[in-house]
Amino acid sequence: SHLPPDQHHYLLVGVIFISMKSFFCMPLVVLLASLRGGSAFMTPTKRFISVGAKKSTSLHSLPSLIVFDLDNTLWTPELYQLRKVARSNRYPIANEDVKLFPAAKQIIQQIKNEREGRFANTKFAVASRTQSVDWAHNLLEQFELKELFDHVEIFSGDKKRHFSHLKSASGIDYEEMLFFDDSRDGRYGNCEPVSQLGVLSVHCPNGLYEEKIWTNALDHFKEWSAHKTPGTIIEWDNSITTVKAPDPNERQKGEVKYINRQKRFGFIKYGGRGTNDMFFHFNALPRGENVEEGDELSFTIS
């Protein structure tokens, strides 16, 4: 062999790791890393590294919990748009007033067909901020979806509260979840704040209108589960964005986008694609300071 003596040792440990198939092999790897140092540990043959990566990925090939938004994700239109139905003082009728997206039907049928097979270890949930709570529950019954979902969280407010409840009820950590929603960021955004919890989030602004949104997301989860980077969003075009959590000590720069002088607040546009407009109240301005739309400001996020 042309390997130096120290690399022969690494290769030997790799073979032991493959053949022993017990937890006793793990201390060997940890000890090796601590004795030889980080730079030395990166020099083993690719054979050893690929075995470790393959084993890790297979453990997380599917999410433990898959969560769907309702309005403009599973079905259309959004329930608040059904003003005629509200004036008629009746419940919306499934497949007439409200319809499932074509791909949502296919995905639901796939889940039902493979619930005892591929998805045997996966739970499913709903997380919706709609104010039409009774309507949403009734539509789930009409579409015969109640029994499909292990957990249902439907109430207005912060979607992070939905996920806090889901984590407590299911016992599943955020990084083992996959979330589909049509709203990415901003005042009514869901993907960005949920991704900051550690949930891999899928932005589908036009709803689940084609099945590849679903299949691409499952493929991405396999890759993402190897590192589980918080703030990760699968965008509508299948690209990946990682939204960095703001550093409270870092000064940001932005432009005043909007001001409401009567209510003494405004919004600052800053950052790029992965940032929301920042709300501020006039009380946060230095004494005697006045701002106009278009002004450039530096600020911290607290």
Short mmCIF file of all heavy atoms in Angstrom, two decimals, residues 117-167:
data_model
loop_
_atom_site.label_atom_id
_atom_site.label_comp_id
_atom_site.label_asym_id
_atom_site.label_seq_id
_atom_site.Cartn_x
_atom_site.Cartn_y
_atom_site.Cartn_z
N GLY A 117 -47.10 1.43 5.18
CA GLY A 117 -45.83 1.05 4.57
C GLY A 117 -44.80 2.15 4.71
O GLY A 117 -44.19 2.32 5.77
N ARG A 118 -44.61 2.92 3.64
CA ARG A 118 -43.57 3.95 3.63
C ARG A 118 -43.72 4.96 4.75
O ARG A 118 -42.74 5.41 5.34
CB ARG A 118 -43.62 4.67 2.27
CG ARG A 118 -42.53 5.71 2.09
CD ARG A 118 -42.73 6.47 0.79
NE ARG A 118 -41.65 7.39 0.52
CZ ARG A 118 -41.69 8.34 -0.40
NH1 ARG A 118 -42.77 8.46 -1.16
NH2 ARG A 118 -40.67 9.14 -0.58
N PHE A 119 -44.98 5.34 5.08
CA PHE A 119 -45.21 6.37 6.09
C PHE A 119 -45.63 5.80 7.44
O PHE A 119 -46.28 6.48 8.23
CB PHE A 119 -46.27 7.35 5.59
CG PHE A 119 -45.88 8.09 4.34
CD1 PHE A 119 -46.53 7.86 3.14
CD2 PHE A 119 -44.84 9.01 4.36
CE1 PHE A 119 -46.17 8.53 1.99
CE2 PHE A 119 -44.47 9.69 3.21
CZ PHE A 119 -45.14 9.45 2.01
N ALA A 120 -45.24 4.56 7.69
CA ALA A 120 -45.64 3.91 8.95
C ALA A 120 -45.09 4.64 10.17
O ALA A 120 -45.72 4.65 11.24
CB ALA A 120 -45.17 2.46 8.95
N ASN A 121 -43.93 5.27 10.04
CA ASN A 121 -43.30 5.96 11.17
C ASN A 121 -43.43 7.48 11.08
O ASN A 121 -42.72 8.21 11.77
CB ASN A 121 -41.82 5.57 11.27
CG ASN A 121 -41.64 4.09 11.55
OD1 ASN A 121 -42.35 3.52 12.37
ND2 ASN A 121 -40.69 3.46 10.88
N THR A 122 -44.30 7.94 10.20
CA THR A 122 -44.50 9.38 10.01
C THR A 122 -45.91 9.77 10.45
O THR A 122 -46.88 9.10 10.09
CB THR A 122 -44.32 9.79 8.54
OG1 THR A 122 -42.98 9.45 8.13
CG2 THR A 122 -44.55 11.27 8.34
N LYS A 123 -45.99 10.84 11.23
CA LYS A 123 -47.28 11.39 11.63
C LYS A 123 -47.58 12.62 10.77
O LYS A 123 -46.66 13.23 10.19
CB LYS A 123 -47.29 11.75 13.11
CG LYS A 123 -47.15 10.54 14.04
CD LYS A 123 -47.24 10.94 15.50
CE LYS A 123 -47.08 9.74 16.42
NZ LYS A 123 -48.15 8.74 16.21
N PHE A 124 -48.85 13.00 10.72
CA PHE A 124 -49.28 14.12 9.89
C PHE A 124 -50.13 15.08 10.72
O PHE A 124 -50.84 14.66 11.63
CB PHE A 124 -50.06 13.61 8.67
CG PHE A 124 -49.23 12.77 7.75
CD1 PHE A 124 -49.11 11.41 7.95
CD2 PHE A 124 -48.54 13.36 6.70
CE1 PHE A 124 -48.33 10.62 7.12
CE2 PHE A 124 -47.74 12.59 5.86
CZ PHE A 124 -47.64 11.22 6.07
N ALA A 125 -50.01 16.38 10.37
CA ALA A 125 -50.70 17.39 11.17
C ALA A 125 -51.13 18.56 10.31
O ALA A 125 -50.64 18.76 9.19
CB ALA A 125 -49.78 17.88 12.30
N VAL A 126 -52.05 19.35 10.86
CA VAL A 126 -52.51 20.61 10.27
C VAL A 126 -52.13 21.74 11.20
O VAL A 126 -52.26 21.63 12.43
CB VAL A 126 -54.05 20.59 10.06
CG1 VAL A 126 -54.59 22.00 9.88
CG2 VAL A 126 -54.41 19.72 8.87
N ALA A 127 -51.66 22.86 10.63
CA ALA A 127 -51.40 24.08 11.39
C ALA A 127 -51.95 25.25 10.59
O ALA A 127 -51.41 25.60 9.55
CB ALA A 127 -49.91 24.25 11.65
N SER A 128 -53.04 25.82 11.06
CA SER A 128 -53.72 26.88 10.31
C SER A 128 -54.02 28.07 11.22
O SER A 128 -54.48 27.89 12.35
CB SER A 128 -55.03 26.36 9.70
OG SER A 128 -55.78 27.41 9.13
N ARG A 129 -53.80 29.28 10.67
CA ARG A 129 -54.07 30.51 11.41
C ARG A 129 -55.43 31.12 11.05
O ARG A 129 -55.73 32.23 11.46
CB ARG A 129 -52.98 31.55 11.10
CG ARG A 129 -51.61 31.18 11.58
CD ARG A 129 -50.54 32.13 11.07
NE ARG A 129 -50.78 33.50 11.46
CZ ARG A 129 -50.01 34.54 11.10
NH1 ARG A 129 -48.97 34.32 10.32
NH2 ARG A 129 -50.28 35.75 11.50
N THR A 130 -56.25 30.41 10.31
CA THR A 130 -57.52 30.97 9.88
C THR A 130 -58.39 31.38 11.07
O THR A 130 -58.35 30.74 12.13
CB THR A 130 -58.30 29.96 9.00
OG1 THR A 130 -59.52 30.57 8.58
CG2 THR A 130 -58.63 28.69 9.78
N GLN A 131 -59.15 32.43 10.88
CA GLN A 131 -60.10 32.84 11.91
C GLN A 131 -61.42 32.08 11.77
O GLN A 131 -62.26 32.12 12.67
CB GLN A 131 -60.34 34.35 11.82
CG GLN A 131 -59.10 35.17 12.15
CD GLN A 131 -59.37 36.67 12.14
OE1 GLN A 131 -60.47 37.11 11.81
NE2 GLN A 131 -58.37 37.44 12.51
N SER A 132 -61.59 31.39 10.65
CA SER A 132 -62.81 30.60 10.42
C SER A 132 -62.59 29.18 10.95
O SER A 132 -62.56 28.20 10.19
CB SER A 132 -63.14 30.58 8.93
OG SER A 132 -63.25 31.89 8.41
N VAL A 133 -62.44 29.08 12.24
CA VAL A 133 -62.04 27.82 12.87
C VAL A 133 -63.09 26.73 12.65
O VAL A 133 -62.76 25.61 12.25
CB VAL A 133 -61.77 28.03 14.37
CG1 VAL A 133 -61.42 26.70 15.04
CG2 VAL A 133 -60.66 29.05 14.57
N ASP A 134 -64.35 27.05 12.90
CA ASP A 134 -65.41 26.05 12.75
C ASP A 134 -65.52 25.58 11.30
O ASP A 134 -65.73 24.39 11.03
CB ASP A 134 -66.74 26.61 13.23
CG ASP A 134 -66.78 26.81 14.74
OD1 ASP A 134 -65.96 26.18 15.43
OD2 ASP A 134 -67.63 27.59 15.21
N TRP A 135 -65.41 26.52 10.38
CA TRP A 135 -65.46 26.16 8.96
C TRP A 135 -64.35 25.18 8.61
O TRP A 135 -64.57 24.21 7.90
CB TRP A 135 -65.33 27.42 8.11
CG TRP A 135 -66.56 28.24 7.99
CD1 TRP A 135 -67.72 28.11 8.69
CD2 TRP A 135 -66.75 29.34 7.08
NE1 TRP A 135 -68.62 29.06 8.31
CE2 TRP A 135 -68.07 29.83 7.31
CE3 TRP A 135 -65.97 29.95 6.13
CZ2 TRP A 135 -68.59 30.90 6.60
CZ3 TRP A 135 -66.49 31.02 5.42
CH2 TRP A 135 -67.79 31.50 5.65
N ALA A 136 -63.13 25.48 9.08
CA ALA A 136 -61.98 24.64 8.75
C ALA A 136 -62.17 23.22 9.27
O ALA A 136 -61.93 22.24 8.54
CB ALA A 136 -60.70 25.25 9.33
N HIS A 137 -62.62 23.08 10.52
CA HIS A 137 -62.86 21.75 11.07
C HIS A 137 -63.95 21.02 10.28
O HIS A 137 -63.83 19.81 9.99
CB HIS A 137 -63.26 21.85 12.55
CG HIS A 137 -62.11 22.07 13.47
ND1 HIS A 137 -61.22 21.07 13.79
CD2 HIS A 137 -61.71 23.17 14.16
CE1 HIS A 137 -60.31 21.54 14.64
NE2 HIS A 137 -60.58 22.82 14.88
N ASN A 138 -64.99 21.75 9.91
CA ASN A 138 -66.09 21.14 9.17
C ASN A 138 -65.64 20.68 7.79
O ASN A 138 -66.03 19.60 7.31
CB ASN A 138 -67.24 22.13 9.05
CG ASN A 138 -68.45 21.55 8.35
OD1 ASN A 138 -68.63 21.74 7.15
ND2 ASN A 138 -69.30 20.84 9.09
N LEU A 139 -64.80 21.47 7.13
CA LEU A 139 -64.30 21.10 5.80
C LEU A 139 -63.39 19.87 5.88
O LEU A 139 -63.41 19.03 4.97
CB LEU A 139 -63.57 22.27 5.17
CG LEU A 139 -64.46 23.38 4.61
CD1 LEU A 139 -63.66 24.64 4.32
CD2 LEU A 139 -65.17 22.90 3.33
N LEU A 140 -62.60 19.77 6.93
CA LEU A 140 -61.77 18.57 7.10
C LEU A 140 -62.64 17.32 7.18
O LEU A 140 -62.29 16.26 6.64
CB LEU A 140 -60.90 18.69 8.35
CG LEU A 140 -59.72 19.67 8.28
CD1 LEU A 140 -59.03 19.75 9.64
CD2 LEU A 140 -58.72 19.26 7.21
N GLU A 141 -63.78 17.44 7.83
CA GLU A 141 -64.72 16.32 7.90
C GLU A 141 -65.34 16.05 6.53
O GLU A 141 -65.45 14.89 6.11
CB GLU A 141 -65.80 16.61 8.94
CG GLU A 141 -65.29 16.62 10.37
CD GLU A 141 -66.39 16.92 11.37
OE1 GLU A 141 -67.54 17.18 10.93
OE2 GLU A 141 -66.11 16.90 12.58
N GLN A 142 -65.76 17.12 5.83
CA GLN A 142 -66.37 16.93 4.52
C GLN A 142 -65.40 16.28 3.53
O GLN A 142 -65.80 15.44 2.71
CB GLN A 142 -66.86 18.27 3.97
CG GLN A 142 -68.05 18.87 4.69
CD GLN A 142 -68.58 20.10 3.95
OE1 GLN A 142 -68.94 20.02 2.78
NE2 GLN A 142 -68.60 21.23 4.64
N PHE A 143 -64.14 16.69 3.59
CA PHE A 143 -63.13 16.11 2.69
C PHE A 143 -62.63 14.75 3.19
O PHE A 143 -61.73 14.16 2.57
CB PHE A 143 -61.95 17.06 2.54
CG PHE A 143 -62.19 18.24 1.63
CD1 PHE A 143 -62.09 19.54 2.11
CD2 PHE A 143 -62.52 18.04 0.30
CE1 PHE A 143 -62.31 20.63 1.26
CE2 PHE A 143 -62.73 19.12 -0.55
CZ PHE A 143 -62.63 20.41 -0.07
N GLU A 144 -63.17 14.29 4.33
CA GLU A 144 -62.78 13.01 4.92
C GLU A 144 -61.28 12.97 5.24
O GLU A 144 -60.58 12.00 4.95
CB GLU A 144 -63.17 11.84 4.00
CG GLU A 144 -64.67 11.76 3.74
CD GLU A 144 -65.05 10.58 2.84
OE1 GLU A 144 -64.14 9.94 2.28
OE2 GLU A 144 -66.25 10.32 2.72
N LEU A 145 -60.82 14.05 5.86
CA LEU A 145 -59.40 14.18 6.19
C LEU A 145 -59.14 14.12 7.70
O LEU A 145 -57.99 14.11 8.11
CB LEU A 145 -58.84 15.50 5.64
CG LEU A 145 -58.86 15.67 4.13
CD1 LEU A 145 -58.33 17.04 3.74
CD2 LEU A 145 -58.05 14.57 3.45
N LYS A 146 -60.19 14.11 8.49
CA LYS A 146 -60.02 14.15 9.94
C LYS A 146 -59.12 13.02 10.43
O LYS A 146 -58.23 13.21 11.26
CB LYS A 146 -61.38 14.08 10.64
CG LYS A 146 -62.07 15.41 10.83
CD LYS A 146 -61.41 16.23 11.93
CE LYS A 146 -62.23 17.47 12.25
NZ LYS A 146 -61.60 18.27 13.34
N GLU A 147 -59.38 11.80 9.93
CA GLU A 147 -58.61 10.64 10.40
C GLU A 147 -57.21 10.57 9.81
O GLU A 147 -56.37 9.82 10.29
CB GLU A 147 -59.38 9.35 10.09
CG GLU A 147 -60.69 9.24 10.87
CD GLU A 147 -61.36 7.89 10.66
OE1 GLU A 147 -60.78 7.06 9.93
OE2 GLU A 147 -62.44 7.69 11.23
N LEU A 148 -56.97 11.36 8.77
CA LEU A 148 -55.63 11.37 8.17
C LEU A 148 -54.62 12.04 9.09
O LEU A 148 -53.45 11.63 9.15
CB LEU A 148 -55.66 12.11 6.83
CG LEU A 148 -54.33 12.25 6.09
CD1 LEU A 148 -53.87 10.91 5.53
CD2 LEU A 148 -54.44 13.27 4.96
N PHE A 149 -55.09 13.06 9.82
CA PHE A 149 -54.18 13.89 10.62
C PHE A 149 -54.17 13.44 12.07
O PHE A 149 -55.21 13.32 12.71
CB PHE A 149 -54.56 15.36 10.50
CG PHE A 149 -54.41 15.91 9.11
CD1 PHE A 149 -55.53 16.26 8.36
CD2 PHE A 149 -53.16 16.05 8.54
CE1 PHE A 149 -55.39 16.75 7.07
CE2 PHE A 149 -53.01 16.54 7.24
CZ PHE A 149 -54.13 16.88 6.51
N ASP A 150 -52.95 13.23 12.58
CA ASP A 150 -52.77 12.84 13.97
C ASP A 150 -52.93 14.03 14.92
O ASP A 150 -53.31 13.85 16.07
CB ASP A 150 -51.37 12.23 14.16
CG ASP A 150 -51.14 11.04 13.25
OD1 ASP A 150 -51.61 9.94 13.60
OD2 ASP A 150 -50.52 11.21 12.18
N HIS A 151 -52.62 15.22 14.41
CA HIS A 151 -52.72 16.43 15.23
C HIS A 151 -53.30 17.56 14.39
O HIS A 151 -52.92 17.72 13.22
CB HIS A 151 -51.35 16.85 15.76
CG HIS A 151 -50.63 15.76 16.51
ND1 HIS A 151 -50.93 15.44 17.81
CD2 HIS A 151 -49.64 14.91 16.12
CE1 HIS A 151 -50.15 14.44 18.20
NE2 HIS A 151 -49.37 14.10 17.19
N VAL A 152 -54.20 18.34 14.97
CA VAL A 152 -54.83 19.46 14.27
C VAL A 152 -54.75 20.70 15.15
O VAL A 152 -55.28 20.71 16.27
CB VAL A 152 -56.30 19.15 13.91
CG1 VAL A 152 -56.95 20.37 13.28
CG2 VAL A 152 -56.38 17.95 12.97
N GLU A 153 -54.06 21.74 14.65
CA GLU A 153 -53.95 23.02 15.36
C GLU A 153 -54.54 24.10 14.46
O GLU A 153 -53.95 24.47 13.45
CB GLU A 153 -52.48 23.33 15.67
CG GLU A 153 -51.82 22.36 16.64
CD GLU A 153 -52.33 22.53 18.07
OE1 GLU A 153 -52.76 23.66 18.41
OE2 GLU A 153 -52.31 21.54 18.82
N ILE A 154 -55.73 24.58 14.81
CA ILE A 154 -56.40 25.61 14.03
C ILE A 154 -56.84 26.74 14.97
O ILE A 154 -57.77 26.56 15.76
CB ILE A 154 -57.62 25.06 13.27
CG1 ILE A 154 -57.22 23.89 12.37
CG2 ILE A 154 -58.28 26.16 12.45
CD1 ILE A 154 -58.41 23.23 11.66
N PHE A 155 -56.14 27.83 14.91
CA PHE A 155 -56.52 29.04 15.64
C PHE A 155 -55.70 30.20 15.09
O PHE A 155 -54.62 30.02 14.54
CB PHE A 155 -56.31 28.89 17.16
CG PHE A 155 -54.90 28.51 17.57
CD1 PHE A 155 -53.92 29.48 17.74
CD2 PHE A 155 -54.57 27.19 17.80
CE1 PHE A 155 -52.64 29.14 18.13
CE2 PHE A 155 -53.29 26.83 18.19
CZ PHE A 155 -52.32 27.81 18.36
N SER A 156 -56.25 31.41 15.19
CA SER A 156 -55.55 32.59 14.68
C SER A 156 -54.40 32.95 15.61
O SER A 156 -54.39 32.57 16.78
CB SER A 156 -56.52 33.77 14.54
OG SER A 156 -57.08 34.08 15.80
N GLY A 157 -53.45 33.70 15.08
CA GLY A 157 -52.32 34.13 15.89
C GLY A 157 -51.00 33.72 15.28
O GLY A 157 -50.86 33.62 14.06
N ASP A 158 -50.03 33.46 16.13
CA ASP A 158 -48.66 33.16 15.72
C ASP A 158 -48.52 31.67 15.40
O ASP A 158 -48.83 30.82 16.23
CB ASP A 158 -47.71 33.55 16.85
CG ASP A 158 -46.26 33.46 16.45
OD1 ASP A 158 -45.95 32.87 15.40
OD2 ASP A 158 -45.41 33.98 17.20
N LYS A 159 -48.04 31.37 14.20
CA LYS A 159 -47.91 29.96 13.81
C LYS A 159 -46.86 29.24 14.65
O LYS A 159 -46.92 28.01 14.77
CB LYS A 159 -47.57 29.84 12.32
CG LYS A 159 -47.51 28.42 11.83
CD LYS A 159 -48.39 28.00 10.71
CE LYS A 159 -49.48 28.77 10.16
NZ LYS A 159 -50.24 28.07 9.09
N LYS A 160 -45.95 29.96 15.27
CA LYS A 160 -44.98 29.30 16.14
C LYS A 160 -45.68 28.66 17.34
O LYS A 160 -45.20 27.66 17.88
CB LYS A 160 -43.92 30.30 16.61
CG LYS A 160 -42.96 30.72 15.50
CD LYS A 160 -41.81 31.55 16.03
CE LYS A 160 -42.27 32.92 16.51
NZ LYS A 160 -41.12 33.77 16.89
N ARG A 161 -46.82 29.21 17.74
CA ARG A 161 -47.59 28.59 18.83
C ARG A 161 -48.17 27.25 18.38
O ARG A 161 -48.24 26.31 19.17
CB ARG A 161 -48.73 29.52 19.27
CG ARG A 161 -48.26 30.75 20.06
CD ARG A 161 -49.44 31.60 20.47
NE ARG A 161 -50.41 30.82 21.24
CZ ARG A 161 -51.72 31.07 21.25
NH1 ARG A 161 -52.22 32.05 20.51
NH2 ARG A 161 -52.53 30.34 22.00
N HIS A 162 -48.59 27.17 17.11
CA HIS A 162 -49.06 25.89 16.59
C HIS A 162 -47.97 24.83 16.75
O HIS A 162 -48.24 23.70 17.18
CB HIS A 162 -49.42 26.00 15.10
CG HIS A 162 -50.61 26.87 14.81
ND1 HIS A 162 -50.48 28.14 14.30
CD2 HIS A 162 -51.94 26.65 14.94
CE1 HIS A 162 -51.68 28.66 14.12
NE2 HIS A 162 -52.59 27.79 14.51
N PHE A 163 -46.75 25.22 16.38
CA PHE A 163 -45.66 24.24 16.40
C PHE A 163 -45.20 23.92 17.81
O PHE A 163 -44.76 22.80 18.08
CB PHE A 163 -44.50 24.73 15.53
CG PHE A 163 -44.72 24.39 14.08
CD1 PHE A 163 -45.50 25.19 13.28
CD2 PHE A 163 -44.18 23.24 13.53
CE1 PHE A 163 -45.74 24.87 11.95
CE2 PHE A 163 -44.40 22.90 12.20
CZ PHE A 163 -45.18 23.72 11.41
N SER A 164 -45.32 24.87 18.70
CA SER A 164 -45.03 24.57 20.11
C SER A 164 -46.00 23.52 20.63
O SER A 164 -45.59 22.57 21.32
CB SER A 164 -45.13 25.85 20.94
OG SER A 164 -44.92 25.57 22.31
N HIS A 165 -47.28 23.66 20.27
CA HIS A 165 -48.27 22.68 20.67
C HIS A 165 -48.00 21.32 20.02
O HIS A 165 -48.13 20.27 20.67
CB HIS A 165 -49.67 23.16 20.29
CG HIS A 165 -50.13 24.35 21.07
ND1 HIS A 165 -51.35 24.96 20.86
CD2 HIS A 165 -49.53 25.07 22.06
CE1 HIS A 165 -51.49 25.98 21.67
NE2 HIS A 165 -50.39 26.07 22.40
N LEU A 166 -47.64 21.36 18.73
CA LEU A 166 -47.38 20.11 18.02
C LEU A 166 -46.19 19.36 18.62
O LEU A 166 -46.22 18.13 18.76
CB LEU A 166 -47.12 20.39 16.54
CG LEU A 166 -48.33 20.82 15.71
CD1 LEU A 166 -47.89 21.25 14.31
CD2 LEU A 166 -49.37 19.70 15.63
N LYS A 167 -45.17 20.09 18.99
CA LYS A 167 -43.99 19.46 19.59
C LYS A 167 -44.35 18.81 20.92
O LYS A 167 -43.95 17.67 21.21
CB LYS A 167 -42.89 20.50 19.79
CG LYS A 167 -41.61 19.93 20.40
CD LYS A 167 -40.56 21.01 20.60
CE LYS A 167 -39.31 20.43 21.22
NZ LYS A 167 -38.29 21.47 21.50
#
